[in-house]
Amino acid sequence: MERGRTYGEVWKAGARRLAEAGIDGAEAEAGAELLFLHALGTGKAELLRDLREPFPEDKRPAWEAMLARRAAGEPAQYVTGEQYFYGRRFAVTPAVLIPRPETELLAEAVLAGAAEIVAAQALGGGAGSAERVAKGALAAGELAEQGASGAGALRLLDVGTGSGALAVTLKLERPQWRVTASDLSPDALTVAAGNAAALGAQIRFVQGDLLAPFLPGGDHAGERIDILVSNPPYIPSGDLAGLQPEVREHEPRLALDGGPDGLAPYRRMAAQLAGLDEMPKMVAWEVGIHQAEQAAELLRQANAWDEVRIVRDYAGIDRHVLAIRGLRKI
């Protein structure tokens, strides 16, 4: 590898090495920057300030080791051991799927849908409350206050939590909620619990397969679930071989393989809903490309919802499906 002498030279040499390893040019630049900042333990502003300064040789072994791992195809997030989600740092390991930006939109959709549910509950406060809801006068802060007093103290279950990014984010955004996160993988639960502890989120963790722990015979049977959120595996089994090598060879297959058509986890969850003591007020799923309408139909068949809506991601892809009940009073 070229042995540049300044920060700028070393950084650019690293980007060239990643490009030569077959990583796309833009990704090579972004990956080199991410690894470089992590190896140096510094920020982008400091790096730009010091571009012409001599590169500290004591940092070179760590930098070159990280660069070699990325050049070999390992995702940069596993190399650094972290990924940011909703503005917060989450630890990630090969035991969990790397959180994606589009999943932040699922968190936002859940928060918005929950606010609608709480607003509908607020109609129980009398005519004045009803009028303010109808006029949109119940702002987010007011709804949060109602939540703290009980009206919005919702119980949320995140199924297939992985790194815990969704569960932790939603708990921190709505501290009054009671949040449970489940996963089939004990290793994933260890990562998620570590993230919850590091970020100060009080979450209960449950090991189990989809909704099984909450059905008759499960350890948590009979518990109320107001919001069910899940980003389950949704890649069709036959498509796994065609995924990018860094995904196919490094991210956990358990978090990727959604069965023959990618919809197996959704079918199972949709069927399991009937076994709960009470249907959730909201079910929110992330889905794969071209799966949204089929997933929505699985929920419509329950005939329990006031509305089933589809939310698009940053690329305009139908990415999230939300089924909500309890809105008729608004």
Side-chain angles (χ1 to χ4, degrees):
M1 178 178 171
E2 303 168 59
R3 309 235 352 143
R5 286 183 280 183
T6 68
Y7 281 96
E9 290 170 344
V10 173
W11 176 16
K12 293 303 179 184
R16 285 193 294 272
R17 179 176 177 182
L18 295 183
E20 290 166 0
I23 297 172
D24 175 77
E27 174 58 28
E29 290 282 346
E33 178 182 313
L34 178 67
L35 298 178
F36 200 58
L37 293 175
H38 190 82
L40 293 171
T42 191
K44 179 70 172 290
E46 290 77 15
L47 174 60
L48 294 177
R49 180 196 65 199
D50 297 335
L51 280 179
R52 297 179 183 276
E53 296 296 318
F55 179 77
E57 287 301 316
D58 63 320
K59 299 288 187 179
R60 192 177 292 275
W63 158 241
E64 294 194 354
M66 294 172 70
L67 202 60
R69 289 171 62 184
R70 182 69 189 99
E74 188 174 355
Q77 293 89 341
Y78 290 156
V79 176
T80 64
E82 65 183 24
Q83 169 73 331
Y84 278 81
F85 183 88
Y86 221 79
R88 300 180 178 98
R89 178 195 174 278
F90 286 82
V92 293
T93 76
V96 300
L97 197 72
I98 298 166
R100 266 61 171 185
E102 56 265 28
T103 307
E104 295 180 345
L105 295 177
L106 179 57
E108 292 180 359
V110 169
L111 292 171
E116 294 179 58
I117 291 169
V118 174
Q121 291 176 341
L123 288 173
S129 179
E131 184 178 354
R132 289 192 300 143
V133 171
K135 292 180 178 178
L138 285 177
E142 207 170 341
L143 292 174
E145 288 179 8
Q146 291 179 359
S149 66
L154 301 172
R155 294 171 180 254
L156 179 139
L157 171 64
D158 176 22
V159 172
T161 194
S163 67
L166 266 175
V168 170
T169 295
L170 292 168
K171 176 63 177 178
L172 293 176
E173 293 297 315
R174 295 293 182 269
Q176 70 272 21
W177 289 3
R178 298 181 64 176
V179 175
T180 298
S182 70
D183 206 288
L184 184 59
S185 165
D187 293 335
L189 289 174
T190 297
V191 175
N195 281 322
L199 291 167
Q202 294 186 348
I203 293 174
R204 179 182 61 168
F205 292 94
V206 172
Q207 183 183 358
D209 188 10
L210 299 180
L211 295 181
F214 306 91
L215 299 175
D219 291 342
H220 303 277
E223 292 187 7
R224 191 181 89 230
I225 300 170
D226 295 314
I227 300 174
L228 168 64
V229 59
S230 185
N231 179 16
Y234 55 66
I235 305 297
S237 303
D239 292 350
L240 292 174
L243 294 176
Q244 293 176 302
E246 60 206 58
V247 176
R248 181 184 67 240
E249 297 172 12
H250 295 277
E251 298 201 60
R253 187 182 182 95
L254 183 64
L256 296 171
D257 192 344
D261 63 355
L263 291 166
Y266 305 98
R267 290 194 184 91
R268 291 180 56 207
M269 277 191 281
Q272 289 173 329
L273 288 173
L276 299 173
D277 279 6
E278 183 180 352
M279 193 71 74
K281 294 178 175 66
M282 183 197 312
V283 174
W285 288 339
E286 182 163 320
V287 300
I289 190 169
H290 305 315
Q291 293 176 343
E293 186 54 42
Q294 293 167 284
E297 184 57 31
L298 290 172
L299 290 171
R300 290 190 191 106
Q301 290 171 9
N303 197 31
W305 315 104
D306 296 332
E307 183 179 353
V308 177
R309 62 183 65 156
I310 294 173
V311 179
R312 290 182 173 176
D313 66 13
Y314 297 111
I317 296 169
D318 291 341
R319 181 64 67 185
H320 305 116
V321 177
L322 279 77
I324 306 177
R325 67 184 183 90
L327 301 181
R328 291 192 179 97
K329 293 182 180 179
I330 298 180

